[in-house]
Amino acid sequence: DKDACKVYCEEPQNMRSCVDFAERRNLISKKEAVDGRKFSGIVNSSGGGPGKCKTRESCEAYCENVDNIATCLAFAESSDLVETKDLDEMRKVAKLLKEGAAFPGGCKSKSQCEAYCADPNYMEACLVFAEKAGFIPPEELEMAKKVVPLMKAGKTPGGCRSKEACEVYCENPDNMNVCIAFAEQIGAISQEELTMIKKTGGKGPGGCRNRKQCEAFCQTTENQEVCFN
């Protein structure tokens, strides 16, 4: 069963055969297979990853704590197992710690920081930190600075108090006009986009209502003609 296989495959000496098995049955991608063999080699030759972690989950748990960032960054740079975007983020965090920066609310991990910064009362402090750290692109930062005061004042669509909550609210067709008006108010939508939304009723091919849904629908071969039209 799944649990027994997981226990077996987390043993360092079994990792390689498990990766080979998963690749043969198309359970993982080519890149995941390559990374899995690299990780297996590292774990078996050196006794583990950062903090002697033996599995991907335990390594992620160890490296989630910013106190371990130096060790994890060194491992990430030498192993070629971490995506460039994530590696850049790790370098920024390591630099901030070296400079003695205080993380928002004293958070110690990405999940803790995200939970703290999801509270509108702390969002402005978090934006200051994110700007200093270079975590947010300038255009997103500018938009966030406009939205946060409105969110704190309860003046967002439906009174939503987080990006996720606002997206859920605005995906409802009944709320489209309210959300369009808000987007116009903060300059989050161009005249061209506004015209397109009014023309399509806010729906794309297959009835999709946001970029993620539309991309998922249009990636399917049988839907490509509908999407092109």
Side-chain angles (χ1 to χ4, degrees):
D1 61 45
K2 184 179 177 180
D3 290 338
C5 289
K6 190 171 188 293
V7 169
Y8 177 84
C9 290
E10 284 183 349
E11 289 295 324
Q13 67 271 20
N14 302 329
M15 282 183 185
R16 180 63 184 258
S17 62
C18 290
V19 170
D20 292 343
F21 173 88
E23 185 180 28
R24 282 198 306 273
R25 283 157 180 78
N26 296 316
L27 298 173
I28 57 176
S29 67
K30 184 71 177 172
K31 185 179 186 312
E32 286 172 326
V34 170
D35 287 349
R37 290 188 188 98
K38 278 184 193 173
F39 184 72
S40 171
I42 291 167
V43 168
N44 282 296
S45 64
S46 62
K52 297 299 178 185
C53 58
K54 303 275 180 153
T55 65
R56 184 175 290 275
E57 290 80 6
S58 62
C59 290
E60 286 175 353
Y62 180 83
C63 291
E64 173 86 348
N65 188 327
V66 294
D67 291 339
N68 303 324
I69 194 71
T71 306
C72 294
L73 178 58
F75 175 81
E77 289 181 324
S78 63
S79 66
D80 193 31
L81 286 170
V82 179
E83 297 286 343
T84 303
K85 178 178 173 291
D86 295 329
L87 194 57
D88 287 343
E89 193 171 284
M90 288 176 75
R91 287 179 180 131
K92 286 174 183 174
V93 172
K95 182 173 180 287
L96 287 168
L97 286 172
K98 194 173 181 181
E99 292 170 351
F103 281 64
C107 59
K108 289 282 188 179
S109 69
K110 188 173 182 178
S111 56
Q112 283 180 7
C113 292
E114 285 175 348
Y116 179 83
C117 292
D119 187 326
N121 295 314
Y122 306 132
M123 281 181 179
E124 284 170 336
C126 291
L127 281 177
V128 171
F129 177 82
E131 183 174 17
K132 180 183 175 184
F135 286 153
I136 303 180
E139 62 277 8
E140 282 185 33
L141 186 65
E142 184 184 347
M143 192 59 62
K145 285 178 177 178
K146 291 179 183 177
V147 173
V148 167
L150 295 171
M151 198 174 279
K152 286 178 72 176
K155 293 181 179 179
T156 46
C160 58
R161 290 172 65 82
S162 71
K163 184 181 178 183
E164 292 73 19
C166 292
E167 286 174 350
V168 168
Y169 180 85
C170 290
E171 280 175 8
N172 185 329
D174 296 337
N175 304 328
M176 186 177 73
N177 290 334
V178 175
C179 293
I180 289 173
F182 180 78
E184 278 189 281
Q185 178 191 342
I186 61 172
I189 191 169
S190 68
Q191 191 59 47
E192 184 183 0
E193 288 171 320
L194 182 61
T195 302
M196 183 61 69
I197 289 170
K198 288 178 177 177
K199 193 175 181 180
T200 62
K203 290 190 291 186
C208 60
R209 291 197 170 270
N210 60 46
R211 182 182 294 272
K212 195 173 180 180
Q213 288 178 2
C214 293
E215 285 178 348
F217 180 83
C218 291
Q219 279 173 358
T220 307
T221 307
E222 58 266 28
N223 297 334
Q224 286 180 356
E225 187 176 350
V226 176
C227 294
F228 181 77
N229 291 335

